[in-house]
Amino acid sequence: MMMMKISNSISDFMRFYSLWLCRHHYSTNANIATFFSKYVDKNNVFSWNSIIAELARSGDSVEALRAFASMRKLSLRPNRSSFPCAIKSCSALRDLTSGRQVHQQVVIFGYGSDLFASSSLIDMYSKCGKLKDARLLFDEIPQRNVVSWTAMITGYIQSDHACDALLLFKELLVEESESLEEEEVYVDAVALVSVLSACSRVSGKTMTQGVHGFAIKRGLDEHLGVGNTLIDAYAKCSEVGLSSKVFEEMAEKDVISWNSIIAVYAQNGLSSEAIEMFHLLVKDKEVKYNAVTLSTLLLACAHAGALHAGKCIHDQVIKMSLEDNVYVGTSIIDMYCKCGRLEMARKAFNRMKEKNVKSWSAMIAGYGMHGRAKEALEVFYEMNRNGVAPNYITFVSVLAACGHAGLVDEGWYWFRAMEHRFHIQPGLEHYSCMVDLLGRAGFLTKAYDLINEMKVAPDFVVWGSLLSACRMQKNVELAEICANKLFELDPNNCGYYVLLSNIYADAGRWRDAERMRMLMKNHGLTKTPGFSLVELKGLVHVFLVGDREHPQHEKIYAYLEELSIKLQALGYTPNMTSVLHDVDEEEKGMVLQVHSEKLAVAFGIMNSVAGATIHVIKNLRICSDCHTTIKLTTKIVDREIVVRDSKRFHHFKDGLCSCGDYW
């Protein structure tokens, strides 16, 4: 190869460098000092700075640090441009030892007060988990600029100290207002994006609105990054309407903007809005959707049980050759599991060339929610054999699977093993699964003792699990203890009043049941309305309790009357336990007959071909009477009926249910 001088163009230089590596059979991590010794003026610090910067920008952090070390071995004196990219490489590698060594060099060569070097060091210490060192360095900067402030604010956010980040932002505003005009530190869009990220983590509506107002005042609200982060911040405050408004008012939108608003709708159960937003994105010729878009849409389909739409998106994934994308593949598994197509989920899982812990956990969760705990545990064991370490979510899936099948011994074993064998501390979700498992298996005392032994404060989900178990086991005394805890933790949730009222009704304590209903009324609480969804020919039909808005409601009720006669011939009698006691027996039967899942099932049978499986999604837990009715209905119509309630899947066939009447 001919000797040549390096061009001033870094891109030309890098092309030549890559060619040299290739011809000399070096790996991409070949020691760059060898190259410099042959072809570059090794005494030129600017050449070294250029190659360090280019390597750092291209993500080759190890080689960037080697280049910096090689430069120092030649006794070249670094200048202020030598340090930021070297420090950035330490940050990328989370290499605290190298970071401290570079910091020492910064001080030795007199750049300790250089804003760019110090800002880079703040970022490095934050990413290496040394937040106190970062703050100490920040406090020692004599004249901070917006880059310094942003680095420290971002450091707090990255270390999950969002409140400290917001307090520091307030300090910045104070300093900005008190500084002399020629020394003013103006908050820029980059800083504001970091602050809004902190707002999204603390989920504070007032704070988010305050920062939003500040952005408008400074004219920064039109910045694309600010708008995108605002969408997420408002969503984290459960202000979907404000997120939508920010999106609509954005003058410029990129794929992140579209993905953000689609995710907001999908994560808040507004699946039809998420899909509609995707249709608008497709019409926007300037922005092209990507893997993240499709993954988010699959989440929306999973929530709604929209199998037809999910299949269409899966087809698009195949067309875009994204099936090997581990995140998209995992979303496909989740979608098929939640749409009741477990076999299709397993096929998608088997086709994945690369699986991460989320992929395995999604398949475990899928089997678990369908009551197939044996298969769930088999996938878990296979995951361990493949050397994939389970994480926090994996064990939630494993314990939930045990809970749905009543596998108490297996549940106890893995609950203990997650800490002792895998060094994962049990969290609220794990305790909730165990309380549910023990309680529904009849071990109420053990479940209550476990709550009292918890290393973290039990939340409303944990106590709610025990309260539900108390109803199943008809334990009024413990139910009252649970309910009183829940009234304190989640006072605006009427579900606990309803559940305790039903427990009293089951025990024949009608006065206490009525007292709960009066407490609900006095507190202005209303019961969450039950509704059921059924998808037919790509359209999702919604049914409420006693629904008479559907165009076919007269035919549906007539069909239910016919079905009722056939059910009675099979020995069915309505389970009127917990139905209001102040109505007569005939009216109780009518109340049960108009439950939303019964309407959805009737509609599905009437409007589908013989032998087709009916898929229904219900927002609440299926009641005992509906469970019995649907079991018997499958014998009459010779159909399989699949119901996904708020807890799990029920596969009804030939007069039986996959849950074995254990749910």
Side-chain angles (χ1 to χ4, degrees):
M1 182 163 47
M2 294 177 60
M3 292 289 291
M4 63 176 290
K5 291 185 178 180
I6 300 301
S7 165
N8 288 331
S9 166
I10 292 298
S11 60
D12 290 344
F13 168 75
M14 289 306 294
R15 279 196 293 272
F16 174 71
Y17 172 55
S18 299
L19 180 63
W20 181 85
L21 290 176
C22 183
R23 288 186 179 178
H24 288 79
H25 307 289
Y26 279 89
S27 68
T28 54
N29 286 326
N31 195 325
I32 196 170
T34 306
F35 175 80
F36 269 103
S37 66
K38 286 178 178 284
Y39 303 109
V40 178
D41 179 4
K42 61 185 179 183
N43 294 315
N44 187 332
V45 70
F46 297 101
S47 297
W48 283 102
N49 288 349
S50 297
I51 193 60
I52 292 168
E54 189 63 29
L55 287 168
R57 278 193 290 269
S58 66
D60 199 348
S61 302
V62 172
E63 198 61 30
L65 288 177
R66 283 177 178 168
F68 181 79
S70 297
M71 181 183 72
R72 290 297 303 121
K73 287 177 182 177
L74 294 171
S75 299
L76 283 178
R77 181 183 179 86
N79 58 28
R80 70 189 300 264
S81 299
S82 304
F83 293 107
C85 288
I87 299 168
K88 177 185 175 183
S89 297
C90 296
S91 300
L93 296 169
R94 304 294 195 270
D95 187 346
L96 181 62
T97 302
S98 297
R100 291 195 188 281
Q101 290 173 353
V102 177
H103 186 183
Q104 188 178 39
Q105 298 275 309
V106 168
V107 175
I108 289 172
F109 288 100
Y111 295 107
S113 59
D114 181 82
L115 286 171
F116 289 101
S118 57
S119 298
S120 299
L121 285 167
I122 290 169
D123 177 66
M124 182 275 294
Y125 280 122
S126 299
K127 287 180 177 174
C128 290
K130 297 296 180 181
L131 203 57
K132 289 183 179 179
D133 290 344
R135 184 57 194 256
L136 184 63
L137 183 59
F138 174 80
D139 290 337
E140 290 176 349
I141 299 175
Q143 186 63 48
R144 296 175 290 227
N145 66 359
V146 68
V147 179
S148 318
W149 286 93
T150 304
M152 193 64 242
I153 290 171
T154 304
Y156 276 128
I157 296 168
Q158 291 170 341
S159 302
D160 292 325
H161 289 75
C163 291
D164 290 324
L166 293 172
L167 289 172
L168 190 62
F169 176 62
K170 289 183 179 180
E171 289 183 34
L172 168 57
L173 296 182
V174 171
E175 182 160 317
E176 184 186 76
S177 64
E178 293 177 351
S179 61
L180 298 174
E181 186 174 347
E182 65 271 15
E183 298 176 347
E184 282 188 351
V185 180
Y186 288 107
V187 177
D188 62 6
V190 177
L192 213 55
V193 166
S194 294
V195 173
L196 287 168
S197 295
C199 291
S200 70
R201 297 192 181 208
V202 299
S203 303
K205 177 185 175 182
T206 303
M207 179 64 70
T208 302
Q209 286 180 317
V211 177
H212 188 185
F214 177 85
I216 295 171
K217 184 178 178 181
R218 292 293 178 91
L220 297 172
D221 58 312
E222 296 183 2
H223 186 275
L224 184 59
V226 172
N228 289 342
T229 316
L230 266 171
I231 292 171
D232 180 63
Y234 277 128
K236 294 289 173 42
C237 305
S238 301
E239 294 291 339
V240 177
L242 291 176
S243 290
S244 180
K245 185 178 179 182
V246 169
F247 176 81
E248 290 170 1
E249 294 178 351
M250 289 175 67
E252 178 189 1
K253 300 180 181 75
D254 62 4
V255 69
I256 297 175
S257 318
W258 286 96
N259 288 347
S260 296
I261 195 63
I262 291 171
V264 167
Y265 287 136
Q267 291 165 1
N268 285 275
L270 302 171
S271 301
S272 58
E273 287 85 346
I275 295 170
E276 177 61 29
M277 195 58 65
F278 174 66
H279 292 154
L280 294 176
L281 169 57
V282 172
K283 294 177 183 178
D284 189 329
K285 303 301 182 182
E286 295 182 3
V287 181
K288 299 296 181 183
Y289 56 88
N290 57 19
V292 176
T293 318
L294 297 179
S295 184
T296 307
L297 280 168
L298 288 164
L299 172 65
C301 295
H303 282 324
L307 179 64
H308 179 78
K311 284 182 176 179
C312 290
I313 296 166
H314 189 183
D315 290 341
Q316 191 60 38
V317 168
I318 295 170
K319 288 179 183 177
M320 294 175 66
S321 301
L322 290 172
E323 272 197 304
D324 289 337
N325 182 300
V326 67
Y327 300 104
V328 176
T330 301
S331 298
I332 289 171
I333 294 167
D334 182 61
M335 182 274 294
Y336 280 128
C337 285
K338 290 179 178 174
C339 288
R341 294 295 199 273
L342 203 52
E343 288 71 23
M344 296 178 76
R346 186 57 193 253
K347 286 180 181 178
F349 177 79
N350 291 340
R351 283 197 301 267
M352 290 180 70
K353 293 179 181 178
E354 178 192 353
K355 301 180 182 75
N356 63 10
V357 65
K358 291 183 179 179
S359 315
W360 290 95
S361 299
M363 197 67 248
I364 294 167
Y367 277 124
M369 70 178 72
H370 285 266
R372 293 168 63 172
K374 180 182 177 182
E375 289 94 329
L377 290 174
E378 285 175 353
V379 173
F380 179 59
Y381 300 148
E382 185 183 351
M383 174 186 179
N384 285 309
R385 287 194 298 270
N386 279 270
V388 180
N391 65 8
Y392 187 97
I393 299 300
T394 309
F395 279 105
V396 173
S397 302
V398 169
L399 295 177
C402 293
H404 288 314
L407 303 180
V408 176
D409 292 338
E410 290 85 346
W412 265 123
Y413 176 81
W414 289 114
F415 180 71
R416 300 301 183 196
M418 64 179 288
E419 182 175 4
H420 301 304
R421 180 173 160 187
F422 296 96
H423 310 294
I424 297 173
Q425 286 292 327
L428 289 169
E429 295 88 348
H430 305 110
Y431 281 109
S432 178
C433 289
M434 285 305 299
V435 168
D436 182 63
L437 169 59
L438 293 169
R440 290 195 298 118
F443 300 104
L444 287 177
T445 302
K446 283 188 176 181
Y448 184 57
D449 290 342
L450 181 62
I451 292 177
N452 291 326
E453 295 169 5
M454 284 176 61
K455 297 177 182 178
V456 291
D459 66 352
F460 62 91
V461 179
V462 175
W463 285 110
S465 297
L466 187 56
L467 181 60
S468 297
C470 287
R471 185 188 182 186
M472 178 178 289
Q473 305 300 332
K474 304 185 185 304
N475 188 318
V476 179
E477 183 180 350
L478 187 54
E480 290 175 327
I481 295 173
C482 297
N484 288 329
K485 293 286 186 180
L486 288 163
F487 296 155
E488 295 175 9
L489 291 168
D490 194 12
N492 296 321
N493 190 329
C494 72
Y496 310 129
Y497 292 90
V498 173
L499 193 50
L500 185 57
S501 175
N502 290 337
I503 292 170
Y504 283 137
D506 289 343
R509 292 171 55 173
W510 297 108
R511 287 187 180 180
D512 288 324
E514 185 61 29
R515 179 169 56 85
M516 287 297 107
R517 303 280 177 173
M518 289 303 298
L519 282 173
M520 283 175 57
K521 185 177 181 180
N522 293 339
H523 286 89
L525 303 176
T526 55
K527 183 181 177 181
T528 302
F531 66 83
S532 296
L533 312 175
V534 59
E535 185 182 27
L536 201 66
K537 299 176 182 177
L539 295 178
V540 177
H541 298 260
V542 183
F543 294 90
L544 301 175
V545 177
D547 201 332
R548 293 191 177 273
E549 298 297 321
H550 194 277
Q552 294 188 31
H553 73 270
E554 291 183 359
K555 293 181 179 179
I556 292 171
Y557 283 107
Y559 180 81
L560 285 173
E561 287 290 343
E562 296 175 11
L563 192 61
S564 177
I565 296 171
K566 295 177 181 178
L567 288 169
Q568 290 173 27
L570 290 176
Y572 163 75
T573 54
N575 182 354
M576 298 179 183
T577 307
S578 301
V579 179
L580 294 177
H581 69 286
D582 54 353
V583 296
D584 59 32
E585 293 299 310
E586 184 178 350
E587 191 173 347
K588 287 180 181 181
M590 289 301 297
V591 170
L592 290 172
Q593 189 172 329
V594 297
H595 279 191
S596 64
E597 56 265 56
K598 290 177 181 173
L599 301 177
V601 166
F603 172 79
I605 294 171
M606 291 166 53
N607 291 275
S608 60
V609 297
T613 301
I614 309 299
H615 288 265
V616 174
I617 295 176
K618 181 176 171 61
N619 67 321
L620 304 176
R621 183 176 178 271
I622 189 171
C623 76
S624 298
D625 184 76
C626 287
H627 194 268
T628 301
T629 300
I630 297 173
K631 278 199 303 182
L632 294 173
T633 299
T634 60
K635 292 185 70 174
I636 294 170
V637 300
D638 193 23
R639 298 279 198 101
E640 181 178 358
I641 300 173
V642 181
V643 178
R644 186 184 97 188
D645 69 6
S646 61
K647 294 291 185 181
R648 60 171 296 158
F649 273 87
H650 299 264
H651 293 256
F652 299 94
K653 189 176 182 180
D654 299 328
L656 301 172
C657 180
S658 59
C659 73
D661 297 336
Y662 184 86
W663 85 99

